[in-house]
């Protein structure tokens, strides 16, 4: 296992369809990193149980797992996954709670990045990308209910915990410029 202290670890937080996937993909490609998601263990459990990996099922499973095994159980799983990776950069997508980052905050090279986007823009993206079953047909009311589910309710509080906030209401070019600025700031901390 590789020591997490020797890696740059970027945790991505943001509401549904804020752009975490795009930011993570850009960082991984730019720095030859690896991306893991807080939802990966949940998706694996749902697969084993032969249940759809819908947003609703993942939110329900997340709540059940945290309530029964502790609020930071998924964070502990992420820490183990990070330690197993050999990549110099690891992006952790889907940070949802302060407890998700408590263990990572002990690492000198951990950075929490909050991706911020308007509710209107996020709804449009969610319907267009169709990441989970039913997203393409989702109404605004359904989106708002999912956006305010228990598994999502603490995300916005992470904005004040973030080392960096990336605004993502504009074009892709504007987002890429924001990410480049973020990378410069991260690299500056390494020197």
């Amino acid at each position: 296992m590789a020591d997490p202290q020797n890696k740059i670890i970027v945790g991505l937080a943001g509401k549904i369809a804020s752009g975490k996937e795009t930011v993570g993909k850009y960082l991984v490609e730019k720095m030859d990193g690896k991306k893991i998601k807080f939802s990966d263990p949940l998706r694996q459990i749902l697969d084993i149980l032969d249940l759809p990996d819908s947003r609703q099922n993942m939110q329900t499973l997340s709540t059940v797992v945290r309530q029964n095994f502790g609020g930071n159980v998924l964070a502990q799983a992420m820490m183990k996954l990070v330690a197993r990776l050999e990549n110099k950069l690891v992006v952790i997508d889907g940070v949802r709670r302060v407890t998700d980052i408590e263990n990572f905050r002990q690492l000198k090279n951990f950075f929490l990045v909050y991706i911020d986007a308007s509710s209107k823009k996020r709804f449009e993206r969610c319907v267009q990308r169709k990441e989970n079953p039913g997203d393409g047909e989702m109404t605004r009311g359904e989106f708002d209910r999912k956006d305010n589910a228990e598994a999502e309710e603490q995300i916005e509080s992470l904005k004040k915990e973030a080392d960096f906030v990336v605004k993502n209401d504009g074009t892709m070019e504007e987002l890429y410029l924001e990410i480049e600025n973020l990378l410069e700031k991260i690299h500056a901390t390494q020197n």
Side-chain angles (χ1 to χ4, degrees):
M1 279 196 207
D3 184 359
Q5 291 285 2
N6 298 326
K7 303 171 191 246
I8 296 172
I9 302 168
V10 177
L12 299 178
K15 302 281 276 179
I16 296 170
S18 59
K20 297 179 300 291
E21 180 78 26
T22 303
V23 172
K25 183 177 179 183
Y26 189 92
L27 289 171
V28 164
E29 289 175 2
K30 190 79 173 178
M31 296 181 64
D32 192 30
K34 176 74 174 172
K35 184 171 72 98
I36 58 178
K37 293 176 133 184
F38 260 90
S39 63
D40 288 345
L42 300 173
R43 288 180 194 276
Q44 290 171 354
I45 292 169
L46 290 170
D47 182 55
I48 290 167
L49 298 174
D50 201 25
L51 295 170
D53 63 348
S54 66
R55 185 174 305 279
Q56 179 63 48
N57 283 350
M58 284 188 290
Q59 288 173 337
T60 300
L61 182 58
S62 173
T63 300
V64 168
V65 167
R66 289 173 198 269
Q67 286 176 347
N68 289 282
F69 298 105
N72 69 347
V73 68
L74 290 175
Q76 291 170 342
M78 290 293 104
M79 187 68 93
K80 284 185 176 185
L81 290 174
V82 167
R84 290 180 185 157
L85 297 171
E86 296 297 326
N87 304 73
K88 175 78 173 144
L89 168 80
V90 178
V91 174
I92 303 171
D93 189 350
V95 176
R96 286 185 157 65
R97 296 168 174 77
V98 172
T99 54
D100 290 348
I101 61 170
E102 287 172 350
N103 294 343
F104 289 103
R105 280 285 185 214
Q106 299 170 22
L107 304 175
K108 63 181 176 168
N109 293 325
F110 173 77
F111 304 93
L112 179 62
V113 177
Y114 187 89
I115 294 72
D116 198 16
S118 70
S119 178
K120 178 180 186 276
K121 188 66 113 172
R122 293 184 304 104
F123 169 67
E124 291 168 2
R125 288 179 187 148
C126 193
V127 171
Q128 288 173 348
R129 73 180 187 189
K130 301 174 188 167
E131 180 180 73
N132 294 301
D135 282 357
E137 298 78 37
M138 186 184 326
T139 66
R140 181 58 198 248
E142 291 168 332
F143 174 81
D144 289 341
R145 279 190 295 284
K146 289 178 183 188
D147 199 35
N148 294 310
E150 185 278 332
E152 308 293 319
E153 66 187 15
Q154 295 182 36
I155 293 173
E156 205 160 332
S157 68
L158 289 166
K159 187 174 181 179
K160 67 179 185 277
E161 301 289 330
D163 299 296
F164 307 103
V165 176
V166 172
K167 190 69 178 152
N168 187 20
D169 273 328
T171 65
M172 289 299 281
E173 292 76 23
E174 291 169 325
L175 177 60
Y176 293 151
L177 183 59
E178 287 263 345
I179 301 168
E180 286 296 330
N181 290 334
L182 167 69
L183 283 172
E184 284 180 29
K185 291 174 185 173
I186 289 173
H187 287 307
T189 67
Q190 305 301 299
N191 298 326

